[in-house]
Coordinates of all heavy atoms in Angstrom, one line a residue:
M546 N 140.6 -93.1 80.8 CA 139.8 -91.9 80.9 C 138.6 -92.2 81.7 O 137.9 -93.1 81.4 CB 139.4 -91.4 79.5 CG 138.4 -90.2 79.6 SD 137.8 -89.8 77.9 CE 138.9 -88.5 77.6
S547 N 138.3 -91.4 82.8 CA 137.1 -91.7 83.6 C 136.1 -90.6 83.4 O 136.4 -89.5 83.1 CB 137.5 -91.8 85.1 OG 137.9 -90.5 85.6
L548 N 134.9 -91.0 83.6 CA 133.8 -90.1 83.4 C 133.2 -89.7 84.8 O 132.9 -90.6 85.5 CB 132.7 -90.7 82.5 CG 131.6 -89.9 82.1 CD1 132.0 -88.7 81.3 CD2 130.6 -90.7 81.3
L549 N 133.2 -88.5 85.1 CA 132.7 -88.1 86.4 C 131.2 -87.9 86.3 O 130.7 -87.2 85.4 CB 133.3 -86.7 86.8 CG 134.6 -86.8 87.6 CD1 135.1 -85.4 87.9 CD2 134.4 -87.6 88.9
L550 N 130.4 -88.5 87.2 CA 129.0 -88.3 87.2 C 128.6 -87.5 88.4 O 129.1 -87.8 89.5 CB 128.3 -89.7 87.2 CG 128.5 -90.6 86.0 CD1 127.9 -91.9 86.2 CD2 128.0 -89.9 84.8
S551 N 127.7 -86.6 88.3 CA 127.3 -85.8 89.4 C 126.4 -86.6 90.3 O 125.6 -87.4 89.9 CB 126.5 -84.6 88.8 OG 126.0 -83.9 89.9
T552 N 126.6 -86.4 91.6 CA 125.7 -87.1 92.6 C 124.6 -86.2 93.0 O 123.8 -86.6 93.8 CB 126.5 -87.5 93.8 OG1 127.2 -86.4 94.4 CG2 127.6 -88.6 93.4
T553 N 124.6 -84.9 92.6 CA 123.6 -84.0 93.0 C 122.4 -84.2 92.0 O 122.6 -84.4 90.8 CB 124.0 -82.5 93.0 OG1 124.5 -82.2 91.7 CG2 125.1 -82.3 94.0
P554 N 121.2 -84.0 92.5 CA 120.0 -84.1 91.6 C 120.0 -83.0 90.6 O 120.5 -81.9 90.8 CB 118.8 -84.0 92.5 CG 119.3 -83.5 93.8 CD 120.8 -83.7 93.9
Q555 N 119.6 -83.3 89.4 CA 119.5 -82.3 88.3 C 118.4 -81.3 88.7 O 117.3 -81.7 89.1 CB 119.1 -83.0 87.0 CG 120.2 -83.8 86.4 CD 121.4 -83.0 86.0 OE1 121.3 -81.8 85.6 NE2 122.6 -83.6 86.0
T556 N 118.7 -80.0 88.5 CA 117.6 -79.0 88.7 C 117.1 -78.6 87.4 O 117.8 -78.6 86.4 CB 118.2 -77.8 89.4 OG1 119.3 -77.3 88.6 CG2 118.7 -78.1 90.8
R557 N 115.8 -78.2 87.4 CA 115.2 -77.8 86.1 C 115.6 -76.4 85.8 O 115.8 -75.6 86.6 CB 113.7 -77.9 86.3 CG 113.1 -79.3 86.2 CD 111.6 -79.3 86.1 NE 111.2 -79.0 84.7 CZ 110.0 -78.7 84.4 NH1 109.1 -78.7 85.3 NH2 109.7 -78.5 83.1
S558 N 115.8 -76.2 84.5 CA 116.1 -74.8 84.1 C 114.9 -74.0 84.3 O 113.7 -74.4 84.2 CB 116.4 -74.9 82.6 OG 116.4 -73.6 82.0
P559 N 115.1 -72.7 84.6 CA 113.9 -71.8 84.8 C 113.3 -71.4 83.5 O 112.2 -70.9 83.5 CB 114.6 -70.5 85.5 CG 116.0 -70.6 85.1 CD 116.3 -72.0 84.9
F560 N 113.9 -71.8 82.4 CA 113.3 -71.5 81.1 C 112.5 -72.7 80.6 O 113.0 -73.8 80.6 CB 114.5 -71.2 80.1 CG 115.3 -70.0 80.5 CD1 116.6 -70.2 81.0 CD2 114.8 -68.8 80.4 CE1 117.3 -69.1 81.3 CE2 115.5 -67.7 80.7 CZ 116.8 -67.8 81.2
T561 N 111.3 -72.4 80.3 CA 110.4 -73.4 79.7 C 109.8 -72.8 78.4 O 110.0 -71.7 78.1 CB 109.2 -73.7 80.7 OG1 108.4 -72.5 80.9 CG2 109.7 -74.2 82.0
M562 N 109.1 -73.6 77.7 CA 108.4 -73.1 76.5 C 107.6 -71.9 76.8 O 107.5 -70.9 76.1 CB 107.6 -74.2 75.8 CG 108.5 -75.2 75.2 SD 109.7 -74.6 74.0 CE 108.7 -74.1 72.6
E563 N 106.9 -71.9 78.0 CA 106.0 -70.8 78.4 C 106.8 -69.5 78.6 O 106.3 -68.4 78.4 CB 105.2 -71.1 79.6 CG 104.2 -72.2 79.3 CD 103.7 -72.9 80.6 OE1 104.3 -72.6 81.7 OE2 102.8 -73.7 80.5
T564 N 108.1 -69.6 79.1 CA 108.8 -68.4 79.4 C 109.6 -67.9 78.1 O 110.0 -66.8 78.0 CB 109.8 -68.6 80.5 OG1 110.7 -69.7 80.2 CG2 109.1 -68.9 81.8
L565 N 109.8 -68.9 77.2 CA 110.6 -68.5 76.0 C 109.7 -67.9 74.9 O 110.1 -67.1 74.1 CB 111.3 -69.7 75.4 CG 112.4 -70.2 76.4 CD1 113.0 -71.5 75.8 CD2 113.5 -69.1 76.5
L566 N 108.4 -68.4 74.8 CA 107.5 -67.9 73.8 C 106.7 -66.8 74.4 O 106.4 -66.7 75.6 CB 106.5 -69.1 73.4 CG 107.2 -70.2 72.7 CD1 106.2 -71.3 72.5 CD2 107.8 -69.8 71.4
P567 N 106.3 -65.8 73.5 CA 105.4 -64.7 74.0 C 104.1 -65.3 74.5 O 103.6 -66.2 73.9 CB 105.3 -63.8 72.8 CG 105.8 -64.5 71.7 CD 106.6 -65.7 72.1
R568 N 103.5 -64.7 75.5 CA 102.2 -65.1 76.0 C 101.2 -64.8 74.9 O 101.2 -63.8 74.2 CB 101.9 -64.2 77.2 CG 100.7 -64.7 78.0 CD 100.6 -64.0 79.3 NE 99.6 -64.6 80.1 CZ 99.2 -64.2 81.2 NH1 99.8 -63.1 81.7 NH2 98.3 -64.7 81.9
Q569 N 100.3 -65.7 74.7 CA 99.3 -65.6 73.6 C 97.9 -65.2 74.2 O 97.5 -65.7 75.2 CB 99.2 -66.9 72.8 CG 100.4 -67.2 72.1 CD 100.3 -68.5 71.3 OE1 99.6 -69.4 71.6 NE2 101.1 -68.5 70.2
W570 N 97.2 -64.3 73.5 CA 95.9 -63.8 74.0 C 94.9 -64.0 72.9 O 95.2 -64.0 71.7 CB 96.0 -62.3 74.2 CG 96.8 -62.0 75.4 CD1 98.2 -61.8 75.5 CD2 96.3 -61.7 76.7 NE1 98.5 -61.5 76.8 CE2 97.4 -61.4 77.6 CE3 95.0 -61.7 77.3 CZ2 97.2 -61.1 78.9 CZ3 94.9 -61.4 78.6 CH2 96.0 -61.1 79.4
W571 N 93.6 -64.2 73.3 CA 92.5 -64.3 72.4 C 91.5 -63.2 72.9 O 91.5 -62.8 74.1 CB 91.8 -65.6 72.5 CG 92.5 -66.7 71.8 CD1 92.2 -67.2 70.5 CD2 93.7 -67.5 72.2 NE1 93.1 -68.2 70.2 CE2 94.0 -68.4 71.2 CE3 94.5 -67.4 73.3 CZ2 95.1 -69.2 71.2 CZ3 95.6 -68.3 73.4 CH2 95.8 -69.2 72.4
Y572 N 90.7 -62.7 72.0 CA 89.6 -61.8 72.4 C 88.4 -62.2 71.6 O 88.4 -62.8 70.6 CB 90.0 -60.3 72.2 CG 90.1 -59.9 70.7 CD1 89.0 -59.3 70.2 CD2 91.2 -60.1 70.0 CE1 89.0 -58.8 68.9 CE2 91.2 -59.6 68.7 CZ 90.2 -59.0 68.1 OH 90.2 -58.6 66.8
I573 N 87.2 -61.8 72.2 CA 85.9 -62.0 71.5 C 85.6 -60.8 70.7 O 85.5 -59.7 71.1 CB 84.8 -62.2 72.6 CG1 85.1 -63.4 73.5 CG2 83.5 -62.4 71.9 CD1 85.1 -64.7 72.9
A574 N 85.6 -61.0 69.4 CA 85.3 -60.0 68.4 C 83.8 -59.9 68.2 O 83.1 -60.9 68.3 CB 86.0 -60.3 67.1
P575 N 83.3 -58.7 67.9 CA 81.9 -58.6 67.5 C 81.6 -59.5 66.2 O 82.5 -59.6 65.4 CB 81.7 -57.1 67.2 CG 82.9 -56.4 67.6 CD 84.0 -57.4 67.8
A576 N 80.5 -60.2 66.2 CA 80.2 -61.1 65.1 C 80.4 -60.4 63.7 O 80.8 -61.0 62.7 CB 78.8 -61.7 65.2
S577 N 80.0 -59.1 63.6 CA 80.0 -58.4 62.3 C 81.4 -58.1 61.9 O 81.6 -57.8 60.7 CB 79.2 -57.1 62.4 OG 79.7 -56.3 63.4
S578 N 82.4 -58.0 62.8 CA 83.7 -57.6 62.4 C 84.8 -58.7 62.5 O 85.9 -58.5 62.3 CB 84.2 -56.4 63.3 OG 84.4 -56.8 64.6
S579 N 84.3 -59.9 62.8 CA 85.3 -61.0 63.0 C 85.8 -61.4 61.6 O 85.1 -61.9 60.8 CB 84.6 -62.2 63.7 OG 85.5 -63.3 63.7
P580 N 87.1 -61.2 61.3 CA 87.7 -61.6 60.0 C 87.5 -63.1 59.7 O 87.4 -63.4 58.5 CB 89.2 -61.2 60.1 CG 89.3 -60.5 61.4 CD 88.1 -60.7 62.2
S581 N 87.6 -63.9 60.7 CA 87.6 -65.4 60.4 C 86.1 -65.9 60.5 O 85.9 -67.1 60.2 CB 88.5 -66.1 61.3 OG 88.0 -66.0 62.7
G582 N 85.2 -65.1 60.9 CA 83.8 -65.5 61.0 C 83.6 -66.3 62.4 O 82.5 -66.7 62.6
T583 N 84.6 -66.4 63.2 CA 84.4 -67.0 64.5 C 84.5 -65.9 65.6 O 85.2 -64.9 65.4 CB 85.4 -68.1 64.8 OG1 86.7 -67.5 64.7 CG2 85.3 -69.2 63.8
P584 N 83.8 -66.0 66.7 CA 83.9 -65.0 67.7 C 85.2 -64.8 68.4 O 85.6 -63.7 68.8 CB 82.8 -65.3 68.7 CG 82.5 -66.8 68.4 CD 82.9 -67.1 67.0
A585 N 85.9 -65.9 68.6 CA 87.2 -65.8 69.3 C 88.3 -65.6 68.3 O 88.5 -66.4 67.4 CB 87.5 -67.1 70.1
E586 N 89.0 -64.5 68.4 CA 90.1 -64.1 67.6 C 91.5 -64.3 68.3 O 91.6 -63.8 69.4 CB 90.0 -62.7 67.1 CG 88.8 -62.4 66.2 CD 89.0 -63.1 64.8 OE1 90.1 -63.2 64.3 OE2 88.0 -63.5 64.3
G587 N 92.4 -64.9 67.7 CA 93.7 -65.1 68.3 C 94.4 -66.3 67.7 O 93.9 -67.0 66.8
P588 N 95.5 -66.7 68.2 CA 96.3 -66.0 69.3 C 97.0 -64.7 68.8 O 97.5 -64.7 67.7 CB 97.3 -67.1 69.7 CG 97.5 -67.9 68.5 CD 96.3 -67.8 67.7
W589 N 97.0 -63.8 69.7 CA 97.7 -62.5 69.5 C 98.7 -62.3 70.6 O 98.6 -62.8 71.7 CB 96.8 -61.3 69.5 CG 95.7 -61.5 68.5 CD1 94.4 -61.7 68.7 CD2 95.8 -61.4 67.1 NE1 93.6 -61.8 67.6 CE2 94.5 -61.6 66.5 CE3 96.8 -61.2 66.2 CZ2 94.2 -61.6 65.2 CZ3 96.6 -61.2 64.8 CH2 95.3 -61.3 64.3
T590 N 99.8 -61.5 70.3 CA 100.7 -61.2 71.4 C 100.2 -60.0 72.1 O 99.3 -59.3 71.7 CB 102.1 -60.9 70.8 OG1 102.0 -59.7 69.9 CG2 102.7 -62.1 70.1
L591 N 100.8 -59.7 73.3 CA 100.4 -58.6 74.1 C 100.6 -57.3 73.3 O 99.7 -56.5 73.3 CB 101.2 -58.6 75.4 CG 100.8 -57.5 76.4 CD1 99.3 -57.6 76.9 CD2 101.7 -57.6 77.6
P592 N 101.7 -57.1 72.7 CA 101.9 -55.8 71.9 C 100.8 -55.6 70.8 O 100.4 -54.5 70.6 CB 103.3 -55.9 71.3 CG 104.0 -56.8 72.2 CD 103.0 -57.8 72.7
H593 N 100.4 -56.7 70.2 CA 99.4 -56.6 69.1 C 98.1 -56.1 69.8 O 97.5 -55.2 69.2 CB 99.2 -58.0 68.5 CG 98.1 -58.0 67.5 ND1 98.3 -57.6 66.2 CD2 96.8 -58.2 67.6 CE1 97.1 -57.7 65.5 NE2 96.2 -58.1 66.4
L594 N 97.7 -56.7 70.9 CA 96.4 -56.3 71.5 C 96.6 -54.9 72.0 O 95.6 -54.1 71.9 CB 96.0 -57.2 72.6 CG 95.5 -58.6 72.2 CD1 95.0 -59.4 73.4 CD2 94.3 -58.4 71.3
Q595 N 97.7 -54.5 72.6 CA 97.9 -53.1 73.0 C 97.8 -52.1 71.9 O 97.2 -51.0 72.1 CB 99.2 -53.0 73.8 CG 99.2 -53.7 75.1 CD 100.6 -53.7 75.7 OE1 101.6 -53.9 75.1 NE2 100.6 -53.6 77.1
R596 N 98.3 -52.5 70.7 CA 98.1 -51.6 69.5 C 96.6 -51.5 69.1 O 96.1 -50.4 68.8 CB 98.9 -52.1 68.4 CG 100.4 -51.7 68.5 CD 101.2 -52.0 67.2 NE 101.1 -53.3 66.7 CZ 101.9 -54.3 67.2 NH1 102.8 -54.1 68.1 NH2 101.8 -55.5 66.7
A597 N 95.9 -52.6 69.2 CA 94.5 -52.7 68.8 C 93.7 -51.8 69.8 O 92.8 -51.1 69.4 CB 94.0 -54.1 68.8
I598 N 94.1 -51.8 71.1 CA 93.4 -51.0 72.1 C 93.7 -49.5 71.8 O 92.8 -48.7 71.8 CB 93.9 -51.4 73.5 CG1 93.3 -52.8 73.8 CG2 93.4 -50.4 74.5 CD1 94.0 -53.4 75.1
S599 N 94.9 -49.2 71.5 CA 95.3 -47.8 71.3 C 94.6 -47.3 70.0 O 94.4 -46.1 69.9 CB 96.8 -47.6 71.3 OG 97.4 -48.2 70.2
N600 N 94.4 -48.1 69.1 CA 93.7 -47.7 67.8 C 92.2 -47.7 67.9 O 91.5 -47.5 67.0 CB 94.1 -48.7 66.7 CG 95.5 -48.5 66.3 OD1 96.1 -47.4 66.5 ND2 96.2 -49.5 65.7
G601 N 91.7 -48.1 69.1 CA 90.2 -48.1 69.3 C 89.5 -49.3 68.8 O 88.3 -49.3 68.7
M602 N 90.2 -50.4 68.4 CA 89.6 -51.6 67.9 C 89.1 -52.5 69.0 O 88.2 -53.3 68.7 CB 90.6 -52.3 67.0 CG 91.1 -51.5 65.8 SD 92.4 -52.3 64.9 CE 91.8 -53.9 64.6
I603 N 89.7 -52.4 70.2 CA 89.2 -53.2 71.3 C 89.0 -52.3 72.5 O 89.8 -51.5 72.9 CB 90.3 -54.2 71.7 CG1 90.6 -55.2 70.5 CG2 89.9 -55.0 72.9 CD1 91.7 -56.2 70.8
E604 N 87.7 -52.4 73.0 CA 87.4 -51.5 74.1 C 87.5 -52.3 75.4 O 87.8 -53.5 75.4 CB 86.0 -51.0 74.1 CG 84.8 -51.4 73.2 CD 84.8 -52.3 72.1 OE1 85.0 -51.8 71.0 OE2 84.5 -53.4 72.3
G605 N 87.5 -51.6 76.5 CA 87.7 -52.2 77.8 C 86.7 -53.3 78.2 O 87.0 -54.1 79.1
T606 N 85.6 -53.3 77.6 CA 84.6 -54.3 77.9 C 84.7 -55.6 77.1 O 84.1 -56.6 77.4 CB 83.1 -53.8 77.7 OG1 83.1 -53.3 76.3 CG2 82.8 -52.6 78.6
R607 N 85.6 -55.6 76.1 CA 85.8 -56.7 75.2 C 86.4 -57.8 76.1 O 87.4 -57.6 76.8 CB 86.7 -56.4 74.1 CG 87.0 -57.4 73.1 CD 85.9 -57.7 72.1 NE 85.4 -56.5 71.5 CZ 84.2 -56.3 71.2 NH1 83.2 -57.2 71.4 NH2 83.8 -55.1 70.6
L608 N 85.9 -59.1 75.9 CA 86.4 -60.2 76.7 C 87.7 -60.7 76.1 O 87.8 -60.8 74.9 CB 85.4 -61.3 76.7 CG 84.1 -61.0 77.4 CD1 83.1 -62.2 77.4 CD2 84.3 -60.6 78.9
V609 N 88.7 -61.0 77.0 CA 90.0 -61.5 76.6 C 90.3 -62.8 77.4 O 89.7 -63.0 78.5 CB 91.1 -60.5 76.7 CG1 90.9 -59.3 75.8 CG2 91.3 -60.1 78.2
W610 N 91.2 -63.6 76.9 CA 91.6 -64.8 77.6 C 93.0 -65.1 77.2 O 93.4 -64.9 76.1 CB 90.7 -66.0 77.3 CG 91.1 -67.2 78.0 CD1 90.8 -67.6 79.3 CD2 91.9 -68.3 77.5 NE1 91.4 -68.8 79.6 CE2 92.1 -69.3 78.5 CE3 92.5 -68.5 76.2 CZ2 92.8 -70.4 78.3 CZ3 93.3 -69.6 76.0 CH2 93.4 -70.6 77.0
T611 N 93.8 -65.7 78.2 CA 95.1 -66.2 77.9 C 95.3 -67.4 78.8 O 94.7 -67.5 79.8 CB 96.2 -65.1 78.2 OG1 97.5 -65.6 77.8 CG2 96.3 -64.8 79.7
P612 N 96.2 -68.4 78.4 CA 96.4 -69.5 79.2 C 96.7 -69.2 80.6 O 97.5 -68.2 80.8 CB 97.5 -70.3 78.5 CG 97.3 -69.9 77.1 CD 96.9 -68.5 77.1
G613 N 96.1 -69.8 81.6 CA 96.4 -69.6 83.0 C 95.2 -68.8 83.6 O 95.1 -68.8 84.8
M614 N 94.3 -68.2 82.8 CA 93.2 -67.5 83.3 C 92.1 -68.6 83.5 O 91.9 -69.5 82.7 CB 92.7 -66.4 82.4 CG 93.6 -65.2 82.3 SD 93.1 -64.0 81.1 CE 91.4 -63.6 81.7
A615 N 91.2 -68.4 84.5 CA 90.1 -69.3 84.8 C 89.0 -69.2 83.7 O 88.4 -70.2 83.4 CB 89.6 -69.1 86.2
G616 N 88.9 -68.0 83.2 CA 87.8 -67.8 82.2 C 88.0 -66.5 81.5 O 89.0 -65.8 81.7
W617 N 87.1 -66.1 80.6 CA 87.2 -64.9 79.9 C 86.9 -63.7 80.8 O 86.1 -63.9 81.7 CB 86.1 -64.9 78.7 CG 86.5 -65.9 77.7 CD1 86.1 -67.2 77.7 CD2 87.2 -65.7 76.5 NE1 86.6 -67.8 76.6 CE2 87.2 -66.9 75.8 CE3 87.7 -64.6 75.9 CZ2 87.9 -67.1 74.6 CZ3 88.4 -64.7 74.7 CH2 88.4 -65.9 74.0
S618 N 87.5 -62.6 80.6 CA 87.4 -61.4 81.5 C 87.5 -60.2 80.6 O 88.2 -60.2 79.6 CB 88.5 -61.5 82.5 OG 88.4 -60.4 83.4
P619 N 86.9 -59.1 81.0 CA 87.0 -57.8 80.3 C 88.4 -57.4 80.2 O 89.2 -57.4 81.2 CB 86.1 -56.8 81.1 CG 85.2 -57.7 81.8 CD 85.9 -58.9 82.1
A620 N 88.8 -56.9 79.0 CA 90.2 -56.4 78.9 C 90.6 -55.3 79.8 O 91.7 -55.3 80.3 CB 90.4 -56.0 77.4
G621 N 89.6 -54.5 80.2 CA 89.9 -53.4 81.1 C 90.2 -53.8 82.5 O 90.6 -53.0 83.3
H622 N 89.9 -55.1 82.8 CA 90.1 -55.6 84.2 C 91.5 -56.3 84.3 O 91.8 -56.8 85.4 CB 89.0 -56.6 84.6 CG 87.7 -55.9 84.7 ND1 86.6 -56.6 85.1 CD2 87.3 -54.6 84.6 CE1 85.5 -55.8 85.2 NE2 86.0 -54.6 84.8
Q623 N 92.2 -56.4 83.2 CA 93.5 -57.1 83.2 C 94.6 -56.2 83.5 O 94.7 -55.1 82.9 CB 93.7 -57.8 81.8 CG 92.7 -58.9 81.5 CD 92.5 -59.9 82.6 OE1 93.5 -60.5 83.0 NE2 91.3 -60.1 83.1
P624 N 95.5 -56.6 84.4 CA 96.6 -55.7 84.7 C 97.5 -55.4 83.5 O 98.1 -54.3 83.5 CB 97.4 -56.5 85.8 CG 96.7 -57.7 86.1 CD 95.5 -57.8 85.2
E625 N 97.6 -56.3 82.6 CA 98.5 -56.1 81.4 C 98.0 -54.9 80.6 O 98.8 -54.3 79.8 CB 98.5 -57.4 80.5 CG 99.3 -58.5 81.1 CD 98.4 -59.4 82.0 OE1 97.2 -59.0 82.3 OE2 98.8 -60.5 82.3
F626 N 96.7 -54.6 80.7 CA 96.2 -53.5 79.9 C 95.8 -52.3 80.7 O 95.1 -51.4 80.2 CB 94.9 -54.0 79.1 CG 95.2 -55.2 78.3 CD1 94.6 -56.5 78.6 CD2 96.0 -55.2 77.2 CE1 94.8 -57.6 77.8 CE2 96.3 -56.3 76.4 CZ 95.7 -57.5 76.8
A627 N 96.2 -52.2 81.9 CA 95.8 -51.1 82.8 C 96.1 -49.8 82.3 O 95.2 -48.9 82.3 CB 96.4 -51.3 84.2
F628 N 97.3 -49.6 81.7 CA 97.7 -48.3 81.2 C 97.0 -48.0 79.9 O 96.9 -46.9 79.5 CB 99.2 -48.1 81.1 CG 99.8 -48.1 82.5 CD1 100.5 -49.1 83.0 CD2 99.7 -47.0 83.3 CE1 101.1 -49.1 84.3 CE2 100.2 -46.9 84.6 CZ 100.9 -48.0 85.1
D629 N 96.7 -49.0 79.1 CA 96.0 -48.9 77.8 C 94.6 -48.3 77.9 O 94.2 -47.6 77.0 CB 96.0 -50.2 77.1 CG 97.4 -50.8 76.9 OD1 98.2 -50.1 76.4 OD2 97.6 -51.9 77.3
F630 N 94.0 -48.5 79.1 CA 92.6 -48.0 79.3 C 92.5 -46.9 80.3 O 91.5 -46.4 80.6 CB 91.7 -49.2 79.7 CG 91.4 -50.2 78.6 CD1 91.9 -51.5 78.8 CD2 90.7 -49.9 77.5 CE1 91.7 -52.4 77.8 CE2 90.5 -50.8 76.5 CZ 91.0 -52.1 76.6
A631 N 93.7 -46.4 80.7 CA 93.7 -45.3 81.7 C 93.3 -44.0 81.0 O 93.5 -43.8 79.8 CB 95.1 -45.2 82.3
P632 N 92.6 -43.2 81.8 CA 92.2 -41.9 81.2 C 93.4 -41.1 80.9 O 94.5 -41.2 81.5 CB 91.3 -41.3 82.2 CG 91.7 -41.9 83.5 CD 92.2 -43.3 83.1
P633 N 93.3 -40.1 79.9 CA 94.5 -39.3 79.6 C 94.8 -38.4 80.8 O 93.9 -38.1 81.7 CB 94.0 -38.4 78.4 CG 92.5 -38.6 78.4 CD 92.1 -39.8 79.1
P634 N 96.0 -37.9 80.9 CA 96.3 -37.1 82.1 C 95.6 -35.8 82.0 O 95.2 -35.3 81.0 CB 97.8 -36.8 81.9 CG 98.2 -37.2 80.5 CD 97.1 -38.1 80.1
L635 N 95.3 -35.2 83.2 CA 94.6 -33.9 83.3 C 95.5 -32.8 82.7 O 96.8 -32.9 82.9 CB 94.3 -33.6 84.7 CG 93.3 -34.5 85.4 CD1 93.2 -34.2 86.9 CD2 91.9 -34.4 84.7
P636 N 94.9 -31.8 82.1 CA 95.8 -30.7 81.6 C 96.4 -29.9 82.7 O 95.8 -29.8 83.8 CB 94.8 -29.9 80.7 CG 93.4 -30.3 81.2 CD 93.5 -31.7 81.8
L637 N 97.5 -29.4 82.5 CA 98.1 -28.5 83.5 C 97.4 -27.2 83.5 O 96.9 -26.7 82.5 CB 99.6 -28.3 83.1 CG 100.5 -29.5 83.1 CD1 101.9 -29.2 82.6 CD2 100.6 -30.1 84.5
P638 N 97.3 -26.6 84.7 CA 96.6 -25.3 84.8 C 97.4 -24.2 84.1 O 98.6 -24.3 84.0 CB 96.6 -25.0 86.3 CG 97.5 -26.0 87.0 CD 97.8 -27.1 86.0
A639 N 96.7 -23.3 83.5 CA 97.3 -22.2 82.8 C 98.1 -21.3 83.8 O 97.6 -21.1 84.9 CB 96.2 -21.4 82.1
A640 N 99.2 -20.9 83.3 CA 100.0 -20.0 84.2 C 99.6 -18.6 84.2 O 99.0 -18.1 83.4 CB 101.5 -20.2 83.8

């Protein structure tokens, strides 16, 4: 029985821990409302933060950070939250 060995170099799978795990986010909570007593709260998933935004718990000026970002930035400036801070649609004109 012979064992065939590939002569082509191994390619890396496109799946890494970063692509398999949900992206984690942190935000700066007001000192008075921080459950853990520390200003940075997290890690949270994107859906968790989107729910907190829709519930009014996180405003667009609240600083957020996720791995890969150079530094903390207002949540309202992040593309992931663009629709969460968008104004409501204009009412349709009366017929």
